[in-house]
Amino acid sequence: MDTKGLWEKKRRVMRHYDRVAAIYDLQYREEQDAKIRAALESLHLERDSLILDAGCGTGILLDHLRGSTTVIVGVDISLEALRQALKRPSFSDKVNLVRADVDYMPFPDRTFDNVFAVTLIQNVPNPEATLKEIRRVSKPDAMIVITGLKKTYSPEVFLETLYKAGLEVYALKDADRLKGYVALCLNKERVTRTPRLVENPRRARESITSAL
């Protein structure tokens, strides 16, 4: 896809989410909650973590992280979606919202301890480039949550997209109740292509942590 095509897709996505921002939660809240819960049940977030919500949309993740971390930064290209996020009861002085393109985020290298990219990569023109930008702003060994819509990706294509971007997948959640795959990744210099399908997330997380 040429540069003009890339920006045309980004503009279409921006206009779409500007139009649906006011009703987005009514349509997709349950689906998004399920993916976020699937990720959080396997993660331990430190109180002083700096978290990036890449493609934050209307800020559904904020409700799940209320009181759990020091600072959350949400980035989205849709101004109307960010305005909805500002209205959430979970919005606080610990939350910073930034209107920006996730392919060119205005942050230094190695900034964030944890990154969430929920319902993002199917909406960008070059998922590999977007994921590499997420890696750039993530600290080494940062925990990164990526989801991919099942009707867009097969498991094999989803994983290959993550691997090409240099992400190590230590767990992949593919429960029937989820409309998207939930990948728990590490920002590693060398990638091992051996994801784990998690049956008991908490126990698996303990075993994975001890092996790192």
Side-chain angles (χ1 to χ4, degrees):
M1 187 181 296
D2 60 18
T3 301
K4 182 178 179 181
L6 291 175
W7 285 105
E8 280 300 322
K9 178 166 184 177
K10 290 182 181 186
R11 279 191 287 267
R12 286 197 302 271
V13 169
M14 180 177 64
R15 288 193 291 263
H16 170 72
Y17 282 100
D18 279 346
R19 286 195 303 269
V20 305
I23 60 171
Y24 183 86
D25 284 18
L26 292 174
Q27 292 181 300
Y28 300 110
R29 177 66 194 252
E30 184 176 354
E31 175 184 338
Q32 298 297 80
D33 282 343
K35 288 183 284 190
I36 293 168
R37 283 194 295 266
L40 290 177
E41 67 188 2
S42 298
L43 295 178
H44 173 69
L45 301 177
E46 299 293 340
R47 295 284 302 179
D48 59 351
S49 294
L50 180 58
I51 291 181
L52 171 66
D53 186 4
C56 65
T58 60
I60 292 173
L61 180 66
L62 300 180
D63 295 348
H64 292 265
L65 298 183
R66 189 194 308 209
S68 64
T69 59
T70 302
V71 177
I72 303 166
V73 178
V75 173
D76 205 280
I77 200 170
S78 167
L79 181 59
E80 293 304 318
L82 292 173
R83 284 174 172 160
Q84 293 299 315
L86 282 169
K87 299 175 183 178
R88 303 196 86 85
S90 54
F91 182 81
S92 71
D93 58 1
K94 295 181 180 180
V95 178
N96 296 272
L97 299 178
V98 179
R99 189 188 188 192
D101 183 346
V102 291
D103 289 345
Y104 303 96
M105 289 185 280
F107 310 119
D109 295 356
R110 302 184 174 195
T111 297
F112 296 96
D113 300 291
N114 304 94
V115 179
F116 290 80
V118 180
T119 314
L120 173 66
I121 63 171
Q122 63 262 24
N123 290 319
V124 296
N126 187 338
E128 185 178 340
T130 302
L131 292 171
K132 286 182 177 179
E133 175 67 354
I134 287 173
R135 285 194 65 213
R136 180 188 70 79
V137 301
S138 303
K139 293 179 180 178
D141 294 328
M143 295 186 179
I144 302 172
V145 175
I146 309 290
T147 74
L149 201 60
K150 289 180 180 178
K151 67 180 182 181
T152 302
Y153 292 99
S154 68
E156 295 78 14
V157 171
F158 178 60
L159 287 171
E160 188 62 25
T161 301
L162 301 180
Y163 293 144
K164 284 182 177 179
L167 289 168
E168 178 163 316
V169 182
Y170 70 79
L172 178 68
K173 300 196 174 188
D174 183 17
D176 290 340
R177 73 181 187 280
L178 299 173
K179 292 187 177 181
Y181 309 106
V182 178
L184 308 178
C185 308
L186 290 171
N187 187 15
K188 290 281 192 182
E189 290 298 324
R190 295 183 179 181
V191 175
T192 302
R193 299 164 74 94
T194 53
R196 305 188 184 205
L197 294 175
V198 179
E199 298 293 337
N200 184 322
R202 293 187 186 281
R203 188 165 62 245
R205 173 64 185 146
E206 293 171 0
S207 64
I208 291 165
T209 302
S210 65
L212 295 178

